[in-house]
Amino acid sequence: MTATPAWPPQSAPRLHVETQLGDGVAVPVDGNPAHYLISVMRVKADDIVLLFDGRSGEWAARARDIRKRDLVLECVAQTKPPEQVPDFWLCCAPVKKGRIDLIAEKACELGVARLQPVLTRRAVVDKLNYDRLHAHLVEAAEQCGRTALPELADMVKLEALLRDWPTGRNLFFADETGGAPLEQALRAHPGPAAFLVGPEGGFDPAERAAIRAAPGAVPVSLGPRILRAETAAIAATAAWMAINGDWS
């Protein structure tokens, strides 16, 4: 007996689009995404492409009206419901190009709901290329199967972040001068959370004191070794997901 082919095909490419998806919605695609589908993935008429818009879950769409530089994708069935993302924010000081891109990519893969850049006194970078960061989030979401992009918030100064910190949200932060062991702290403080990672030079003493005084702040230790900012951000996020997030 011939086996029934998997549907949608596991080899179907995934694409993030801005158009709100739904049954029968036709999505025109051109530019780089069209080049990727037509010239790289060799999509033909009636092939399936998986689409997500960040709001409507994932949809299987059939390719039609394929031309040299554009095509149309018509939604035929929802394959995943809208994603329920763990209520976790990653707040990090901007670091050099390449490293902040890595943080964005891995934050998306790990399931972060919000990526919040925070300007601190020792930060060596004070501006971010948001278009590039958004592109990294999109690429990571397409690859890892997410149906929603993390919110990419505008950069704020540390003082403003602490002043406006929402009641009821734990603020874990990597304190190189000492804090509770990470696993112990995470288990003791479940619920909505954020993790704050400083710049390559760390927080200065006044910033550290201000963070410790903030409501909901939980200083933690990330072990005996000195970690790069991007390593700390990725490791802390993975630990939270394993203990309080959707890995448990």
Side-chain angles (χ1 to χ4, degrees):
M1 181 176 179
T2 303
T4 302
W7 196 94
Q10 293 183 351
S11 60
R14 292 185 89 242
L15 188 67
H16 175 262
V17 296
E18 297 295 338
T19 304
Q20 185 159 358
L21 304 174
D23 191 29
V25 171
V27 182
V29 180
D30 57 15
N32 288 335
H35 171 77
Y36 167 73
L37 294 176
I38 297 168
S39 300
V40 179
M41 299 304 296
R42 305 293 183 184
V43 167
K44 306 298 182 186
D46 292 330
D47 283 355
I48 294 296
V49 176
L50 300 175
L51 304 179
F52 66 102
D53 62 5
R55 306 178 295 278
S56 312
E58 180 187 81
W59 285 77
R62 291 194 187 280
R64 63 176 176 83
D65 299 343
I66 299 175
R67 297 185 292 187
K68 191 172 183 178
R69 294 184 176 86
D70 60 83
L71 71 160
V72 173
L73 301 172
E74 184 175 357
C75 296
V76 295
Q78 188 181 55
T79 51
K80 289 182 181 179
E83 183 178 0
Q84 299 299 311
V85 182
D87 194 359
F88 181 81
W89 300 355
L90 178 59
C91 305
C92 57
V95 290
K96 294 177 182 178
K97 178 182 176 181
R99 293 178 183 172
I100 191 66
D101 297 340
L102 178 66
I103 290 174
E105 176 185 288
K106 301 312 174 187
C108 182
E109 291 181 24
L110 291 168
V112 167
R114 180 176 183 175
L115 181 60
Q116 174 66 70
V118 181
L119 187 60
T120 62
R121 293 191 183 99
R122 291 177 177 171
V124 297
V125 176
D126 61 3
K127 294 181 181 178
L128 293 173
N129 185 328
Y130 276 82
D131 289 340
R132 190 182 73 240
L133 285 179
H134 177 76
H136 279 286
L137 292 176
V138 167
E139 184 176 350
E142 290 174 345
Q143 182 275 329
C144 74
R146 284 193 68 160
T147 66
L149 299 180
E151 177 189 354
L152 180 56
D154 292 335
M155 185 155 55
V156 297
K157 292 183 177 181
L158 178 61
E159 294 85 350
L161 180 83
L162 299 178
R163 181 193 65 221
D164 300 331
W165 193 252
T167 302
R169 181 174 296 275
N170 297 309
L171 177 59
F172 301 100
F173 80 101
D175 187 348
E176 60 267 32
T177 66
L182 182 60
E183 180 185 5
Q184 175 184 315
L186 295 180
R187 293 191 186 281
H189 299 86
F195 202 95
L196 174 61
V197 178
E200 293 157 329
F203 300 110
D204 73 16
E207 288 175 328
R208 192 178 301 111
I211 299 168
R212 281 179 170 268
V218 184
V220 299
S221 167
L222 295 182
R225 289 166 294 279
I226 297 173
L227 305 181
R228 286 186 179 274
E230 65 272 22
T231 306
I234 295 167
T237 300
W240 190 91
M241 289 294 170
I243 295 173
N244 292 328
D246 56 8
W247 291 13
S248 57

